[in-house]
């Protein structure tokens, strides 16, 4: 990891900066997401990516079972996207989850069938980082109707 880039646990004081990052990505996050991320970060494992001490990204993961987790949220400030910051953050999160005994990690994102171009890069991100799409669910409980969910998984260790 670059000396300027670091990942650390999410602290309560990070919520305002994370909300600014989320609001700067309106193609990816709805207006209710800053509050949901803050709430999820308080209840689950969460991290921030810093660049020279400034919060530049965030991730939240929920344990679903002793061997399974889900990445609930991940985002990088708009100006820093496409420079490997998200992959570095995700790699750290996956390493932390693996060290804690997690074998499989899931992530949900907007499916290609929605035809929404901004999420082409999002799906490519998951796939570049070892995630495989295993299903599409529409409607997914908790998601707005007409937003098909692509379900991705990655194995952190063999499960059999």
């Amino acid at each position: 990891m670059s000396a300027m880039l670091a990942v650390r646990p999410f602290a309560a004081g990070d919520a305002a900066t994370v909300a600014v990052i989320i609001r700067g990505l309106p193609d990816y996050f709805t207006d209710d997401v800053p509050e949901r991320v803050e709430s999820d970060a308080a209840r689950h494992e969460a991290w921030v990516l810093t660049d020279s001490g400034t919060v530049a990204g965030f991730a939240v993961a929920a344990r679903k079972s002793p061997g399974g987790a889900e990445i609930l949220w991940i985002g990088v400030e708009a100006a820093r996207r496409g420079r490997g910051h998200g992959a570095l953050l995700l790699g750290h999160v996956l390493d932390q989850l693996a060290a804690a005994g997690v074998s499989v990690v899931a992530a949900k994102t907007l499916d290609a069938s929605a035809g929404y171009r901004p999420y082409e890069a999002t799906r490519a991100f998951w796939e570049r980082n070892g995630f495989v799409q295993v299903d599409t669910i529409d409607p997914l409980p908790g998601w707005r109707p007409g937003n098909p969910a692509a379900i991705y998984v990655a194995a952190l260790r063999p499960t059999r």
Side-chain angles (χ1 to χ4, degrees):
M1 187 177 318
S2 163
M4 295 183 354
L5 297 176
V7 179
R8 63 167 172 76
F10 188 108
D14 295 325
T17 304
V18 167
V20 170
I21 292 169
I22 293 166
R23 287 189 189 100
L25 298 165
D27 290 342
Y28 303 95
F29 297 115
T30 54
D31 292 339
D32 62 329
V33 170
E35 182 177 286
R36 291 173 60 200
V37 169
E38 182 176 5
S39 174
D40 285 340
R43 293 190 333 259
H44 302 292
E45 295 174 86
W47 302 264
V48 292
L49 171 74
T50 61
D51 187 349
S52 300
T54 300
V55 174
F58 64 94
V60 180
R63 283 301 200 77
K64 299 296 186 169
S65 68
E70 178 183 352
I71 306 291
L72 300 177
W73 306 103
I74 189 166
V76 171
E77 184 182 35
R80 291 177 167 91
R81 287 177 45 107
R83 300 190 348 213
H85 290 56
L88 188 145
L89 175 58
L90 179 60
H92 179 88
V93 169
L94 296 177
D95 288 346
Q96 294 290 305
L97 293 172
V102 171
S103 297
V104 179
V105 178
K108 298 176 185 119
T109 193
L110 190 63
D111 188 72
S113 65
Y116 187 60
R117 288 189 49 85
Y119 272 80
E120 290 173 7
T122 300
R123 289 185 301 276
F125 168 80
W126 290 114
E127 292 166 9
R128 267 193 321 275
N129 285 284
F131 284 73
V132 176
Q133 185 174 355
V134 295
D135 204 356
T136 301
I137 301 175
D138 188 17
L140 180 72
W143 283 37
R144 294 180 182 166
N147 290 288
I151 311 301
Y152 280 86
V153 296
L156 303 183
R157 64 174 45 89
T159 59
R160 54 174 290 192

